[in-house]
Amino acid sequence: MEVMKGIVQRYQHKRISLVEAGVTRHRSIFNGLKALAEDQPNSKLCKPEVVIIHDAVRPFVEEDVLLKVAIAAKEHGAAGAIRPLVSTVISPSADGCLDHSLDRASHRASEMPQAFLFDVIYEAYQQCSDYDLEFGTECLQLALKYCHTKAKLVEGSPDLWKVTYKRDLYAAESIIKERISQQICILMDAKEDEEHVGRCLEEMLKKELNHVKVTSGALCHAGRDLQQIILEQCYNFVCVNVMTSDFEETRKLLNALEESNLSILYPVVVISVHFLDYKLVPFGQKMEHLMQIKEFAKEVKKRNILLCGLLVYYPQDEQKLQESLRQGATIIATLIKERSFGLVGQLLVA
Amino acid sequence: MEVMKGIVQRYQHKRISLVEAGVTRHRSIFNGLKALAEDQPNSKLCKPEVVIIHDAVRPFVEEDVLLKVAIAAKEHGAAGAIRPLVSTVISPSADGCLDHSLDRASHRASEMPQAFLFDVIYEAYQQCSDYDLEFGTECLQLALKYCHTKAKLVEGSPDLWKVTYKRDLYAAESIIKERISQQICILMDAKEDEEHVGRCLEEMLKKELNHVKVTSGALCHAGRDLQQIILEQCYNFVCVNVMTSDFEETRKLLNALEESNLSILYPVVVISVHFLDYKLVPFGQKMEHLMQIKEFAKEVKKRNILLCGLLVYYPQDEQKLQESLRQGATIIATLIKERSFGLVGQLLVA
């Protein structure tokens, strides 16, 4: 309970009421329903017409299916998401041998979310036996057995799967990483028309990450836009420094990010891009100067911001420049995709 | 067929015979069985006593369960791996509503591998109907229906799951990456007793990756050991250069790896570690020198070897040195875990 309270507080959820869990699934759900019922003492919540029941182990539920089951429940009294069976289901005999197998096409896996008219499911839980509460697993079955309500079945998406095994945690991590890598914001340190090389990098990134939305703007007059981008939950920022050789612009961005609380849920990737013209500054000197990034990175890492530097070789030869930018785009794409804490503060070279 | 032939050739499999697939699962299996049967024309294979049937979409099958189903099949005529149900299974009515739900505890998911006495399953396939061949999904059911053979059910591990959705590919990738990151070989460029700093790094790595087997040796007299390590399928090498400032030792290692064909199946990570004493060589100069690694990396990447450099700051102060080494170990752990092509040739700094 304390852990859950901590989570609600930490992520600043406003519309959550917590209820003590029971020792089984059905007892926990029953406790939740009681908190919504009118006939219970100390009830502070209003009784809803429709209640949706969901498992926390299915974190990728879409609004769409919530809407569908709620509407179907209003009409049918009960509704639940289903999926095709991935494996054939069999019934074993007592001696551990095959008794019979079920026809896969005429069965479905019952998933969550499920929705009910509140009065239907509450009555079902009030009437059901201790055996049901101890060993049952299926709310739709309770509504059928005790209220004669035949649930409407709604096709769900594969995303409704239950995070059960270690492999599911791997899958969940990859899905989250993919989702928060769908948008990249590129910030230039000067007016747009001067930004030939920044624009080229943007084009390369669009090519490298062809499903990704790449937006760009100049940081100096992007204050308002930046707020908008942060509000849209963009978790990836590329700060292109052409005119200046220091971290002034990157710092401004980091400040804006820190103020926004964006990184509270997921780590935000920030890549500070610099260019090297051998003729102007020796490579070693430039590297040494840019290694300051380690210190900034250490600081912002505490706030879940992953800062890396990228030094792009900037030759006169147009073809070589394109090659450098292509490499730079690959590195940016990798840093965003991996979102790895271990490489924070590194200065990569393209 | 050509694709499969290509795979068999590329990965140098010696004991595989390919059979043309059918349009359904059962027809494909039947084709496979025919290739083993004595009564078929042009059969070059010997009829086995027991045959194991498996799905390619379950790539993480362990030898253990193969053995178990084969032994059980010898005794019972048929055997198959099962798993507990993750979701409740229901039967829908014709109008898309819940008809009834099945008791989760008395049903199981039927998985693969399955094993059969060859004569049992071959007869079952010969006798079964066109309807079975078109719409059936369960071999155990065929053995039951046509040969009255009740399959023995064997508990399988969660690793038997079917790679079905995109999330399963993510999970599979993570599992493979984890498996090939379980062993790291550290190679020192000098005799063991001189290697204080190399030893310290080794200790740090053991701390950072506490489930990982870390072995070490001097490359100069590790020729034979190295062959052994490669044979054990170690996919991670850390080449510690204390005495020399160039890539001589790393190159020797890369040559040995290229000769070994180790990287044919999975990418091999090689990290070339160097140390920087500010008093002896300026940082920029050292960096510039080590940037050569980009060229080597580009070359060996073609052969699925991922080479990165790591420059560790080597101060006099013992505590600061420990901190550098700790950072170095974190970076090494990250590079091995991510196994990312995008960062090949980079020189990271600890």
Side-chain angles (χ1 to χ4, degrees):
Chain A
M1 196 66 165
E2 288 313 308
V3 173
M4 282 309 298
K5 275 185 192 161
I7 289 174
V8 169
Q9 198 164 23
R10 183 166 170 208
Y11 297 108
Q12 301 166 12
H13 294 299
K14 301 286 180 224
R15 298 174 62 195
I16 291 186
S17 301
L18 294 174
V19 173
E20 200 77 46
V23 290
T24 64
R25 180 173 203 278
H26 274 335
R27 289 193 194 278
S28 297
I29 296 171
F30 196 10
N31 287 357
L33 293 172
K34 281 180 193 161
L36 294 167
E38 286 167 326
D39 60 356
Q40 294 290 320
N42 308 321
S43 174
K44 285 177 216 131
L45 300 166
C46 292
K47 191 193 91 167
E49 187 186 356
V50 170
V51 64
I52 299 177
I53 300 174
H54 191 63
D55 295 332
V57 287
R58 304 176 194 264
F60 298 108
V61 60
E62 303 272 358
E63 219 176 305
D64 176 55
V65 72
L66 292 170
L67 189 65
K68 278 187 189 156
V69 291
I71 290 172
K74 222 167 160 173
E75 191 185 333
H76 296 264
I82 53 165
R83 290 283 309 154
L85 292 176
V86 171
S87 301
T88 302
V89 173
I90 57 160
S91 178
S93 55
D95 60 348
C97 288
L98 174 69
D99 188 74
H100 63 278
S101 79
L102 305 177
D103 175 27
R104 209 198 285 185
S106 64
H107 290 85
R108 295 285 181 278
S110 170
E111 313 282 348
M112 287 278 159
Q114 294 175 349
F116 302 87
L117 287 175
F118 182 83
D119 292 335
V120 167
I121 192 67
Y122 188 49
E123 195 187 326
Y125 271 97
Q126 282 178 309
Q127 292 195 7
C128 76
S129 67
D130 273 355
Y131 185 87
D132 286 323
L133 290 176
E134 279 305 306
F135 302 106
T137 55
E138 182 54 71
C139 306
L140 299 181
Q141 179 65 19
L142 294 185
L144 180 64
K145 190 168 163 192
Y146 294 104
C147 300
H148 311 289
T149 301
K150 282 201 165 194
K152 180 70 184 170
L153 303 175
V154 174
E155 278 291 335
S157 78
D159 289 345
L160 289 178
W161 106 99
K162 215 162 159 178
V163 177
T164 310
Y165 299 108
K166 192 177 179 187
R167 66 165 190 265
D168 295 317
L169 287 175
Y170 286 140
E173 186 185 342
S174 297
I175 288 172
I176 291 171
K177 280 185 174 175
E178 192 191 83
R179 289 195 181 178
I180 61 178
S181 300
Q182 293 306 306
Q183 191 182 349
I184 300 175
C185 173
I186 304 181
L187 295 161
M188 317 277 185
D189 68 344
K191 285 193 213 105
E192 304 204 1
D193 49 8
E194 296 171 38
E195 289 303 320
H196 172 237
V197 71
R199 285 269 161 254
C200 289
L201 185 64
E202 188 179 340
E203 289 311 312
M204 286 290 179
L205 265 175
K206 283 179 181 166
K207 249 189 254 172
E208 180 83 15
L209 299 159
N210 55 2
H211 298 296
V212 171
K213 182 177 163 195
V214 181
T215 55
S216 68
L219 186 57
C220 49
H221 51 81
R224 190 180 285 263
D225 294 355
L226 190 60
Q227 293 309 321
Q228 187 56 38
I229 287 161
I230 290 171
L231 278 178
E232 282 172 17
Q233 308 209 303
C234 172
Y235 288 95
N236 313 287
F237 294 86
V238 176
C239 199
V240 178
N241 305 278
V242 181
M243 310 306 285
T244 52
S245 64
D246 60 14
F247 292 99
E248 197 50 47
E249 300 297 316
T250 305
R251 267 176 162 160
K252 275 190 214 162
L253 171 63
L254 292 172
N255 287 340
L257 287 173
E258 286 188 357
E259 278 168 25
S260 74
N261 257 341
L262 175 69
S263 58
I264 199 170
L265 198 52
Y266 302 119
V268 175
V269 172
V270 176
I271 300 160
S272 186
V273 181
H274 304 262
F275 293 89
L276 172 74
D277 185 343
Y278 267 99
K279 283 185 306 184
L280 295 177
V281 189
F283 175 77
Q285 193 181 322
K286 183 86 177 182
M287 283 295 276
E288 208 160 342
H289 174 69
L290 291 175
M291 288 305 288
Q292 294 174 50
I293 200 167
K294 272 198 113 146
E295 294 310 312
F296 300 142
K298 213 167 139 184
E299 203 48 46
V300 294
K301 186 179 170 185
K302 293 174 197 156
R303 263 148 276 158
N304 216 13
I305 297 173
L306 310 181
L307 173 64
C308 278
L310 174 62
L311 179 58
V312 180
Y313 176 48
Y314 193 168
Q316 286 299 312
D317 182 294
E318 181 66 23
Q319 209 179 334
K320 280 187 187 158
L321 175 61
Q322 291 296 320
E323 177 52 25
S324 293
L325 290 170
R326 205 189 50 72
Q327 277 184 33
T330 305
I331 292 169
I332 291 171
T334 303
L335 292 173
I336 288 173
K337 185 175 161 240
E338 309 283 9
R339 210 166 289 270
S340 146
F341 281 78
L343 299 180
V344 149
Q346 293 298 323
L347 178 61
L348 305 163
V349 179
Chain B
M1 196 65 164
E2 287 313 307
V3 173
M4 282 309 298
K5 275 185 192 161
I7 290 174
V8 169
Q9 198 164 23
R10 183 166 171 209
Y11 297 108
Q12 301 166 13
H13 294 299
K14 301 287 179 221
R15 298 174 63 195
I16 291 187
S17 301
L18 294 175
V19 173
E20 200 78 45
V23 290
T24 65
R25 180 174 202 279
H26 274 334
R27 289 193 194 277
S28 297
I29 295 171
F30 196 10
N31 287 357
L33 293 173
K34 281 180 193 160
L36 293 167
E38 287 167 326
D39 60 356
Q40 294 290 320
N42 308 322
S43 175
K44 286 177 216 132
L45 300 165
C46 292
K47 191 193 91 166
E49 186 186 356
V50 170
V51 64
I52 299 177
I53 300 174
H54 191 62
D55 295 332
V57 287
R58 304 177 194 264
F60 298 108
V61 59
E62 303 271 359
E63 220 177 303
D64 176 55
V65 72
L66 292 170
L67 189 66
K68 278 186 188 156
V69 291
I71 290 172
K74 222 167 160 173
E75 191 185 332
H76 296 264
I82 53 165
R83 291 283 308 155
L85 292 176
V86 171
S87 302
T88 302
V89 173
I90 57 160
S91 177
S93 55
D95 60 348
C97 287
L98 174 68
D99 187 74
H100 63 278
S101 79
L102 305 177
D103 175 27
R104 208 198 286 185
S106 64
H107 290 85
R108 296 284 182 279
S110 170
E111 313 281 349
M112 287 278 159
Q114 294 175 349
F116 302 87
L117 287 175
F118 182 83
D119 293 335
V120 167
I121 192 68
Y122 189 49
E123 195 187 326
Y125 271 97
Q126 282 178 309
Q127 293 195 7
C128 76
S129 67
D130 273 355
Y131 185 87
D132 286 322
L133 290 176
E134 279 305 305
F135 302 106
T137 56
E138 182 54 71
C139 306
L140 299 182
Q141 179 65 19
L142 294 185
L144 180 65
K145 190 169 163 192
Y146 295 103
C147 300
H148 311 290
T149 301
K150 282 201 164 193
K152 180 70 184 170
L153 304 175
V154 174
E155 278 292 335
S157 77
D159 289 344
L160 289 178
W161 106 99
K162 214 161 159 179
V163 177
T164 310
Y165 299 108
K166 191 175 180 189
R167 65 165 191 266
D168 296 316
L169 287 175
Y170 286 141
E173 186 184 342
S174 297
I175 289 172
I176 290 171
K177 280 185 174 175
E178 192 191 83
R179 289 195 181 178
I180 61 178
S181 301
Q182 293 307 306
Q183 191 182 348
I184 300 175
C185 172
I186 304 181
L187 295 162
M188 317 279 185
D189 69 344
K191 285 193 212 105
E192 303 205 1
D193 49 8
E194 296 171 39
E195 289 302 321
H196 172 237
V197 71
R199 285 270 161 253
C200 289
L201 185 64
E202 188 179 340
E203 289 311 311
M204 286 290 179
L205 265 174
K206 283 180 181 166
K207 249 189 254 172
E208 180 83 14
L209 299 159
N210 55 3
H211 298 296
V212 171
K213 182 178 163 195
V214 181
T215 55
S216 68
L219 186 57
C220 49
H221 51 81
R224 189 180 286 263
D225 294 357
L226 190 60
Q227 293 309 322
Q228 187 56 38
I229 288 161
I230 289 171
L231 278 178
E232 282 172 17
Q233 308 209 303
C234 172
Y235 288 95
N236 313 287
F237 294 86
V238 176
C239 199
V240 178
N241 305 278
V242 181
M243 311 305 286
T244 52
S245 63
D246 60 15
F247 291 99
E248 197 49 47
E249 300 297 316
T250 305
R251 267 177 162 159
K252 276 190 214 162
L253 170 62
L254 293 172
N255 287 340
L257 287 173
E258 286 187 357
E259 278 169 24
S260 75
N261 256 341
L262 176 69
S263 58
I264 199 170
L265 197 52
Y266 302 119
V268 175
V269 172
V270 176
I271 300 160
S272 186
V273 181
H274 304 262
F275 293 89
L276 172 74
D277 185 343
Y278 266 99
K279 283 185 306 183
L280 295 176
V281 189
F283 175 76
Q285 193 181 322
K286 183 86 178 182
M287 283 296 275
E288 208 160 342
H289 174 69
L290 292 175
M291 288 306 287
Q292 294 175 50
I293 200 167
K294 273 199 112 145
E295 294 311 311
F296 300 142
K298 213 167 140 184
E299 202 48 46
V300 294
K301 187 179 170 184
K302 293 174 197 157
R303 262 148 277 159
N304 216 13
I305 297 174
L306 310 181
L307 173 64
C308 277
L310 173 63
L311 179 58
V312 179
Y313 176 48
Y314 193 167
Q316 286 298 313
D317 182 296
E318 182 66 24
Q319 209 179 334
K320 281 187 188 157
L321 175 61
Q322 291 296 320
E323 177 52 25
S324 294
L325 290 171
R326 205 189 50 72
Q327 277 185 33
T330 305
I331 292 169
I332 291 171
T334 303
L335 292 173
I336 288 173
K337 186 176 160 240
E338 309 283 9
R339 209 166 289 269
S340 145
F341 281 78
L343 299 180
V344 150
Q346 293 298 322
L347 179 61
L348 305 163
V349 179

